[in-house]
Each structure stands twice: as C-alpha cells, then as structure tokens.
Amino acid sequence: MVEQAQQAETGEAQRVVFVGAESTGKSTLSEHLAHAYGTVSVPEIGRFIWEEKQGKLDADDYVEIAVKHRQAEDAALPHARRWLFVDTNALTTLLLGIQFRQVGDPPPAALLRCADDCRTRYAHTFVCADDIPYEEQDVRENEAWRGRIQRLVIEDLQARGIPHTVVRGSVEQRAAQVRRVLEDSAA
C-alpha cells in the first residue's frame, strides 16, 4: 500500500496487474486496456526468456525473469498515463518455477523478495478467469494444467491477503469489469 499511496500522491501512474494461468487472456486484456486508456502496457517478460531457453530454466533464470520484469515496469512507468497495465508479476513467476520443479525449496531470496513486493507494488490485481477457450501453443502445457495453476494463483493471492478481482467473459466484458473497478477507486 505504501508504494501505491506514493504513486497516487505524486500523480504518477498506478500499476494494474493481470495474473492467472497461461491462456487466460492476460496479454490481450493488458494491451486492450492500454490502448483504450491511451497508456502503455508491460508484456510478460518470462515468456520471452522461456521461449529463448526452450523451457529449460533454473532458479537463477526465474530470478532474472522477476528482476527484468520489474525493470520493464519501472522503465515504462514514466511513459504511462494514469495506469500502467502489467501482464503477470513475480508471484506468478515464483509459482510457475515451483510447479515446473525448476525452483527448489527454499526458493532464492531475491525471487521471494520480488514476490513479496507484489503486496504493495500494484494498485489493483485482476485475475483473468479460465473461462475462455484454451489456446494451444508449443510452449504451453494443457488445459488441465491451466485449471490447476489457476486455482494455485487464487489460493496464493488469498494466502498473502492480496485483494483481487476475478474478471470473466470476452475481452470487452473483462475490460468493462476492470474499468468499473478502476473508475470506482478513482472516485
């Protein structure tokens, strides 16, 4: 909340993050809203590193993903107007690293710090529901995996006490749900 309050006081754009399992529409929604609000979005940095390394990652790679993602957010923030829409965050990075058994127990301290910062880093957290058709891709698992990860994402947010809103439906329906929450919070 401290980071969010500082952003609001300085008039700096506030970060809005979209989380959820793969193929839940996070990228599409983030880009759609950035266009609608005339601002910028930050893509999922982990996807680029995952594809580059063909899914063969280790714990250090997950730390790199989390750090580079934060750097991309920080670099985009001065260019954002009112809202900075962010596709995924370090919580999801940590969760996926553990689920893929590429991050051991205990996870690297730097990765845990990035994940813990998600409590205060974002003004709003939206979970993209898994109610849209699963889109097959070479770098993705399968629809059953998506459902499992989706449940874990929501459980993790609840366990950490991070307020969140689940958005459902088409891109337009999801965007309308997000707009209502953002406009209500600004009032």
Side-chain angles (χ1 to χ4, degrees):
M1 300 306 250
V2 172
E3 194 166 338
Q4 296 166 25
Q6 289 172 339
Q7 289 171 350
E9 286 175 13
T10 63
E12 187 175 75
Q14 293 188 25
R15 292 176 176 94
V16 175
V17 68
F18 299 97
V19 297
E22 60 191 25
S23 190
T24 55
K26 300 179 300 293
S27 301
T28 301
L29 185 57
S30 180
E31 292 166 9
H32 177 87
L33 285 162
H35 178 74
Y37 276 97
T39 188
V40 294
S41 65
V42 177
E44 178 186 357
I45 303 301
R47 175 182 291 178
F48 305 125
I49 294 172
W50 177 269
E51 289 173 356
E52 175 188 311
K53 296 190 175 195
Q54 299 178 330
K56 296 179 177 86
L57 305 179
D58 61 26
D60 290 337
D61 294 318
Y62 284 90
V63 171
E64 177 186 8
I65 289 167
V67 169
K68 283 188 173 182
H69 194 88
R70 288 173 58 94
Q71 290 170 343
E73 287 180 27
D74 292 344
L77 196 59
H79 306 285
R81 295 179 51 215
R82 194 167 178 201
W83 308 108
L84 173 66
F85 295 104
V86 181
D87 177 357
T88 308
N89 64 15
L91 289 174
T92 305
T93 301
L94 173 62
L95 179 66
L96 288 173
I98 292 168
Q99 292 305 305
F100 280 122
R101 294 186 172 89
Q102 294 173 320
V103 170
D105 188 19
L111 183 55
L112 288 174
R113 278 192 303 278
C114 288
D116 288 342
D117 284 349
C118 291
R119 286 188 183 112
T120 59
R121 190 167 178 84
Y122 304 97
H124 301 280
T125 299
F126 292 94
V127 179
C128 291
D130 59 355
D131 63 341
I132 60 174
Y134 182 78
E135 186 179 308
E136 295 284 340
Q137 288 184 1
D138 290 342
V139 295
R140 291 190 171 151
E141 293 296 314
N142 58 44
E143 194 164 358
W145 170 267
R146 176 177 80 162
R148 181 169 157 243
I149 297 301
Q150 190 72 1
R151 286 186 299 279
L152 291 173
V153 166
I154 291 171
E155 288 170 7
D156 189 48
L157 291 170
Q158 291 170 340
R160 291 174 184 272
I162 297 175
H164 58 279
T165 303
V166 178
V167 293
R168 294 179 167 76
S170 68
V171 174
E172 293 76 17
Q173 290 168 324
R174 290 170 180 220
Q177 293 166 49
V178 171
R179 286 176 96 90
R180 277 192 299 276
V181 170
L182 296 181
E183 297 308 320
D184 286 352
S185 73

